[in-house]
Amino acid sequence: MKKREEGYVFDTSYPIHLQKEIQPIWLNHSATFLGLKSIDITREFTYCELGCATGLNLIFSALNNPTGYFIGVDFNEKHIKEAKKIVELIGIKNIEFIQSDFKSFSQRENIAFDFIVCHGTWSWISPIHQRSILEIVAKSLKEKGIFYLHYMCHPGSTSLLSVQKLLNVVDHHLNGSSKDNIKVGIDLFNQLNSAGTFIDYPNLDSIEKVFQQNDLDYLAHEFLTDFWNPQYSIDVHQFVAQTKASYIGSANLFDNLENISIPQNSQKVLKNISSPILKEYIKDLARNQKQRIDLFQKNPQLLTKEEHLKALNSMIFTLVDKNILTKEIKLSTPIGEIEIPKEITKAILEELSKKDCSFEELGKHKIFSNQIYLLFESIQMLMWNDTIFPKSKNYEFIDKKNFIKLKNHFPIIFRNYNYLNC
């Protein structure tokens, strides 16, 4: 097997991870929280994942959303074969996997999509392929459609630039596989680190922590590409604006809560900034942001105050783990540890331990009387923390038979993500 395809690691499969933020219901709720009209996922909709790897996220979405039709695109033949094998095993009908580079896919497909998502791909591929992603969004994203884009950003990823280059150069000078060479490169980094080479480097602790992971497949895909490229959010937003899709907020719900996610002194400065694009970059500076999961929408439409409240009230939530009732909920955030007051979590979680509840039902608790924003904020923090998860009227979690099949196929995934058991 060849080792690289257009600068990207090709001789090892990308490890399987589930991203709750790219689930259709999460994207739908994110737009609603932001006060915008979104796609009605109780009706037929279309969804495309660019760079789908072996397809777990798409398969999970397709099983839980029978009204959606899902297409996954990846240039790695091994990834697509594995994805198709799982689809055949379970017998999913509303999903399709296509082996293709993004440019070819854009040229030959004429499907319009309500959702286009791209996770773990943008910052690791060449500018040519990035432009192809934007071409797909410009051509295929429907009105009110949502484009999700994950990428590395400055300033948080800046300190890794020189270290990534070290690993990439080592890989190019050795004949071994990507997995073998990433191990050699990390060993060299550790030797240099012990010799004091990186003593003045910022964020050295976080770099060492990354390299302590034992997943060589992940580390090879993360660091050995020839196009490892963090970008400033202000530049990415300008690129995406060419597709006629506008930035609306983050799929990371915590990042949208500025009064919590931004240090107070920086909040005071932000109040005087009128430029939205500059404001986002200042947030990155304040948080020392390493990665972003941005949401863009084609011709976004604001909900009226009445429409927004109606949309919020119709949201339904389920408790991920009933054992959480006996635990303190402390959120480890980029700006420090945050503890949600016990009386608030108790009001929400005790109700959800009895049954799934709507936003409106939770809002009837006396603690939220005339304090709807307190509930609005708390719900998003608990979603972000994997304590609760959204549902919709036709959103059915995986039936028992298919759940067992997936669990047997992905045992590690089902140990790490509690909300899969909802």
Side-chain angles (χ1 to χ4, degrees):
M1 178 183 287
K2 56 184 171 183
K3 188 171 174 179
R4 274 186 173 78
E5 178 76 26
E6 298 188 48
Y8 190 78
V9 169
F10 200 75
D11 63 341
T12 179
S13 292
Y14 189 80
I16 300 165
H17 297 289
L18 190 85
Q19 302 298 145
K20 67 178 184 291
E21 294 88 357
I22 67 173
Q23 298 297 316
I25 194 167
W26 188 281
L27 297 170
N28 176 283
H29 277 51
S30 296
T32 301
F33 280 127
L34 291 163
L36 296 161
K37 295 180 181 180
S38 188
I39 307 303
D40 183 357
I41 60 173
T42 65
R43 299 181 178 181
E44 291 185 359
F45 67 90
T46 49
Y47 179 110
C48 178
E49 182 176 5
L50 301 173
C52 63
T54 51
L56 176 64
N57 286 286
L58 219 59
I59 290 166
F60 185 68
S61 293
L63 285 168
N64 286 334
N65 295 273
T67 56
Y69 188 76
F70 298 83
I71 292 180
V73 183
D74 200 285
F75 81 113
N76 189 319
E77 182 181 9
K78 187 176 179 181
H79 286 168
I80 295 299
K81 282 184 176 179
E82 179 67 14
K84 288 182 175 180
K85 177 182 174 183
I86 303 164
V87 167
E88 185 176 351
L89 171 73
I90 299 175
I92 314 171
K93 304 300 182 184
N94 60 330
I95 193 169
E96 177 183 357
F97 286 101
I98 298 173
Q99 182 193 348
S100 175
D101 61 74
F102 299 142
K103 188 172 185 62
S104 299
F105 176 75
S106 175
Q107 290 173 342
R108 74 170 183 244
E109 297 294 336
N110 292 304
I111 301 173
F113 295 105
D114 295 293
F115 299 98
I116 297 175
V117 303
C118 183
H119 187 95
T121 301
W122 178 272
S123 297
W124 293 264
I125 58 176
S126 71
I128 293 172
H129 294 304
Q130 289 176 349
R131 286 195 292 273
S132 295
I133 290 173
L134 298 180
E135 288 171 6
I136 293 168
V137 174
K139 173 186 173 183
S140 302
L141 191 64
K142 293 182 183 179
E143 291 291 303
K144 290 194 301 180
I146 291 175
F147 172 46
Y148 164 109
L149 183 64
H150 162 262
Y151 59 98
M152 291 186 294
C153 64
H154 300 291
S157 293
T158 308
S159 59
L160 280 169
L161 277 165
S162 55
V163 176
Q164 187 275 331
K165 188 64 175 178
L166 172 70
L167 300 177
N168 178 266
V169 171
V170 168
D171 183 46
H172 274 283
H173 283 78
L174 295 175
N175 293 322
S177 69
S178 295
K179 288 176 67 172
D180 290 337
N181 291 354
I182 190 68
K183 190 175 185 306
V184 173
I186 291 172
D187 287 344
L188 177 58
F189 168 84
N190 290 331
Q191 291 175 43
L192 292 169
N193 192 22
S194 297
T197 304
F198 303 109
I199 194 167
D200 293 325
Y201 273 56
N203 304 319
L204 185 58
D205 288 347
S206 63
I207 297 172
E208 292 172 327
K209 188 176 180 180
V210 170
F211 290 158
Q212 286 169 6
Q213 298 186 54
N214 294 319
D215 192 335
L216 295 179
D217 290 303
Y218 166 75
L219 292 170
H221 277 269
E222 174 68 28
F223 291 107
L224 297 188
T225 175
D226 294 342
F227 295 101
W228 199 88
N229 184 30
Q231 291 171 295
Y232 293 103
S233 61
I234 197 165
D235 294 329
V236 174
H237 289 188
Q238 288 174 339
F239 294 149
V240 179
Q242 298 170 19
T243 70
K244 307 302 181 185
S246 303
Y247 174 74
I248 59 171
S250 177
N252 182 337
L253 300 180
F254 180 78
D255 284 353
N256 294 328
L257 303 172
E258 293 181 19
N259 62 319
I260 298 172
S261 65
I262 303 292
Q264 286 191 349
N265 291 337
S266 297
Q267 288 180 37
K268 295 174 184 177
V269 178
L270 278 172
K271 287 180 180 178
N272 299 318
I273 304 297
S274 58
S275 167
I277 200 166
L278 176 58
K279 196 172 184 179
E280 284 305 309
Y281 176 57
I282 291 174
K283 290 180 193 177
D284 290 346
L285 291 173
R287 300 184 185 119
N288 193 34
Q289 197 96 354
K290 294 186 176 82
Q291 299 185 15
R292 290 179 63 107
I293 46 177
D294 288 346
L295 298 178
F296 303 85
Q297 191 171 33
K298 183 72 70 75
N299 295 327
Q301 300 173 33
L302 283 170
L303 295 165
T304 65
K305 187 176 180 180
E306 293 75 20
E307 288 172 334
H308 194 198
L309 183 58
K310 182 179 179 181
L312 290 172
N313 281 337
S314 67
M315 288 180 171
I316 302 169
F317 302 95
T318 190
L319 186 62
V320 170
D321 180 6
K322 290 188 178 181
N323 292 327
I324 199 73
L325 292 171
T326 63
K327 302 174 185 175
E328 285 187 70
I329 298 182
K330 293 183 179 180
L331 309 181
S332 180
T333 79
I335 63 167
E337 194 172 79
I338 295 175
E339 183 175 355
I340 306 176
K342 291 180 182 178
E343 60 270 20
I344 294 175
T345 56
K346 183 178 179 181
I348 296 172
L349 301 183
E350 282 191 349
E351 290 302 312
L352 290 176
S353 69
K354 301 171 190 173
K355 67 180 184 69
D356 296 342
C357 294
S358 68
F359 187 94
E360 183 176 26
E361 290 171 323
L362 294 171
K364 290 177 181 177
H365 194 286
K366 61 183 180 180
I367 198 170
F368 300 118
S369 177
N370 298 317
Q371 295 194 80
I372 289 299
Y373 187 78
L374 180 61
L375 176 61
F376 175 86
E377 188 175 81
S378 301
I379 287 287
Q380 291 182 76
M381 291 176 70
L382 291 170
M383 283 176 62
W384 174 74
N385 194 47
D386 294 340
T387 303
I388 64 177
F389 201 75
K391 294 183 75 173
S392 70
K393 291 178 182 177
N394 78 320
Y395 186 92
E396 295 294 336
F397 287 107
I398 302 173
D399 63 73
K400 188 173 182 180
K401 181 180 177 182
N402 285 329
F403 177 86
I404 292 170
K405 286 181 180 178
L406 271 182
K407 192 170 184 177
N408 290 338
H409 204 87
F410 301 112
I412 295 175
I413 292 298
F414 283 79
R415 286 202 299 270
N416 293 341
Y417 298 95
N418 289 331
Y419 57 87
L420 284 172
N421 295 301
C422 293

